[in-house]
Amino acid sequence: MSAIRLRIQPPEGPVSERDCATGLLTFGRGSDSDVVISDHAMSRHHARVVEEGHGWFVEDLGARNGTYVNGTRVDGRQAVRAGDVILMGGTRVYLRDPADTSERLAGLDLSSSIFRRVTDMHGEDLDPAGGTPGRVAARLKALNDFHRAIAGPIALDALLALLLERLFAALHPEEGVILLRQKDGSLATVASRRLPGASGELLVSRRLISEVVDKGTAALVSDLAMDDRFSGSDSIIGAGIRSILAAPISDSEGCVGMVAVYSRAHVRRFGEDDMELLVSLAAAAALRIRNVALAEQAAERRVQDHELALAHDIQMAMLPRQFPDRREIEMGAALIPARAVGGDLYDFLLVDRMLWFIVADAAGKGVSAALFMAVTRTLFRAVAQDALSAGSVIERMNNELARDNERQFFVTAVVGRLDLVSGDLTYANAGHPAPLHVTNASDTASLDENVLAALDGAGSGVALGIIEGAPYTEVRTILGRGDVLLLFTDGVTEAINGRHELYSDARLAASFTAAATLSVGKIVEAVIGGVNQFAGGQPQEDDITVLALRYLGASA
Amino acid sequence: MNIEQTDQEGVLVIAPSGRIDTTTSGAVEEVLKRTVDVGARRLIIDFSGVDYISSAGLRVFLVLAKRMRDLHGRLILCGMPEPVAQVFRLAGFMALFQVEASREAAVARMGAAA
């Protein structure tokens, strides 16, 4: 025969303890019960605990809400033992062995659990009173080993697995779990470990998380596996009381998560020395977790940078490096994106004696602009192939881009067509800076006699992609032998210097005119050199594109 | 970038200031979107405090204009300093907006239409 102690926890009111000396205790709301509890969910005569032979039993007395042992409803009568929990209505009765002196915990419920501020615990030696000297030495070694193991380079997953492994070796829990704060601020389980054959699932209550993570306290808790998920499951009958140990994972910058271990109380019940070891291991892990997380973020960024570098190469490969090998013309161009990828574009297409060319600037910067730029280039090539005029090319491009353009992306562009034989130039402008035209630059001795003019924007229409069916005016001029055209994007004229001044149309015109007798390659270099010199190291705000075209006349 | 909002005779006047470029246009777009989401249908954008607007900034007002058209709302732009007006003009967007010289003129025009 074994004695048993009952710890009675009603839904409200104080917790009480009773030894069952008489071998029979009745429970109920009725005043004639041995243990009278004011619990509305209880029946007047709810249940009784009886000793019979060498064991104890609980008998349901036909209670309306039933009687449960460890979450399973009692059908008439069921054997119970120390460690079990009986639920009657809203009242819990915990069965304990009064002879069990190893139990250093006074309470078994959350309200009487131990919470300790971690900051009060750091720097303390592991208390030798917490165990035999051999046990203490083993734990110091565990801590020391862990410190050493995580000193070198280690991935976050490996670090978390190692922490769990050491916790299992030192504390012998049935289950362990690590939660870390995610980018969105929530806590998520990032690692867990369970003994083979251990049942159940560590339920980390919100209350526990709040105590541990928000308040920075370590917790030593006994809780009930009374979760709905457990009821009716034979495999966890006897799960009864769970012993939980939890510590925050925090460093000087704050709490990044929590580590918790769990065991059924009759298998293993954690003590305060276990709590100290857990806190020490968690603290050792904390600093490394932050460092490793930062390193992994950096690695992620490197992958992104690599992707962007690839995108840059792909985009640059869309731009022609080789210009038409024709005696009638010289062409040169450069495009310098402000970021890895950009929205500027230049391109040309030679169809028989017609040279089609485009300089364009998609709104915005970065990946969205680059995608729009790629679409624009494809459209230009498709449409110009069999087009009759620059105006029709730009109108068709606009209609394609404007269709279903909810986000109102747009691209400004100048499209031109030069008849290499006659020098006949037609062009259309969709909201783009007007190209510059230097007349007869190579045939005259003096630069002063060159005439600079903008290919007038009077015929300029709305940028492409905004108004389906928008009309564009085609403008026509004849290029003379030695004339030079300069097409550019507003990244040139709107480049900014240290005094927040714009490079401006005037400075561009001066720089272009001064270089107009040079080869087209040198003209492009000179214009970009002029912008860079002006900016004087100020960060480049926008993509810069320059395309120079010299007409040398029909081949003799 | 600062975005001031004033209710003026039943018309919401939104006055951004500083540069509206790739970096800041997202914030402006968000404010405008929310304003229309909560029911503003008579909007005036006062550009008098804007130093610079980029193509990314232009796009924000194109999106707003399109949405206001779809909702049968009214949108008037006003107070454009010359550099800002030039960017609208160059891209060919001036014709897409009702534009007034000053906030007073914009409010008056909005009132006349009501």
Side-chain angles (χ1 to χ4, degrees), chain A residues 40-72:
Chain A
H40 292 296
M42 248 183 159
S43 297
R44 291 177 60 80
H45 300 107
H46 196 108
R48 62 182 193 174
V49 173
V50 296
E51 186 182 20
E52 207 172 284
H54 293 291
W56 289 89
F57 294 84
V58 60
E59 291 174 9
D60 183 80
L61 300 175
R64 185 164 39 90
N65 291 329
T67 301
Y68 294 80
V69 173
N70 302 332
T72 304

Side-chain angles (χ1 to χ4, degrees), chain A residues 146-328:
Chain A
F146 183 62
H147 268 288
R148 224 165 337 155
I150 63 173
I154 188 166
L156 184 59
D157 286 349
L159 173 64
L160 299 176
L162 190 66
L163 175 59
L164 286 174
E165 183 201 307
R166 296 303 153 96
L167 287 175
F168 271 68
L171 299 176
H172 311 291
E174 290 188 286
E175 193 173 351
V177 64
I178 301 173
L179 291 87
L180 286 183
R181 202 174 287 292
Q182 306 297 297
K183 279 180 195 142
D184 64 2
S186 67
L187 282 167
T189 301
V190 290
S192 62
R193 181 176 165 140
R194 190 185 293 171
L195 277 189
S199 57
E201 177 186 348
L202 179 47
L203 305 166
V204 184
S205 74
R206 215 168 286 166
R207 165 93 192 274
L208 183 63
I209 291 176
S210 127
E211 290 292 334
V212 173
V213 175
D214 300 343
K215 298 182 188 165
T217 54
L220 179 52
V221 180
S222 291
D223 192 15
L224 253 189
M226 259 321 182
D227 192 275
D228 283 343
R229 276 179 281 178
F230 288 178
S231 13
S233 163
D234 289 339
S235 62
I236 56 90
I237 285 179
I241 297 154
R242 307 187 305 167
S243 184
I244 299 176
L245 200 52
I249 298 175
S250 45
D251 59 17
S252 56
E253 289 183 53
C255 189
V256 296
M258 163 175 137
V259 55
V261 292
Y262 135 84
S263 184
R264 282 167 298 171
H266 69 268
V267 175
R268 172 153 168 67
R269 181 163 289 159
F270 301 114
E272 283 191 68
D273 55 333
D274 297 322
M275 185 167 168
E276 278 162 15
L277 182 67
L278 182 72
V279 166
S280 303
L281 287 172
L287 190 64
R288 289 294 291 153
I289 284 174
R290 195 181 288 275
N291 289 345
V292 167
L294 287 176
E296 291 192 353
Q297 278 168 20
E300 242 172 71
R301 229 176 356 247
R302 274 197 298 280
V303 170
Q304 283 170 8
D305 288 349
H306 179 65
E307 291 285 326
L308 272 181
L310 280 180
H312 169 87
D313 292 349
I314 291 168
Q315 188 174 37
M316 288 301 138
M318 289 182 188
L319 304 170
R321 293 265 165 258
Q322 296 292 318
F323 293 98
D325 185 20
R326 299 278 298 218
R327 270 179 291 175
E328 299 95 332

Side-chain angles (χ1 to χ4, degrees), chain A residues 103-142:
Chain A
E103 181 181 290
R104 277 170 289 135
L105 278 176
L108 295 168
D109 59 304
L110 253 178
S111 59
S112 56
S113 296
I114 296 176
F115 292 100
R116 289 187 63 185
R117 285 199 60 76
V118 167
T119 44
D120 300 337
M121 297 172 69
H122 283 319
E124 267 180 33
D125 290 330
L126 293 177
D127 182 8
T132 64
R135 198 164 153 220
V136 172
R139 289 173 173 222
L140 282 172
K141 185 174 179 315

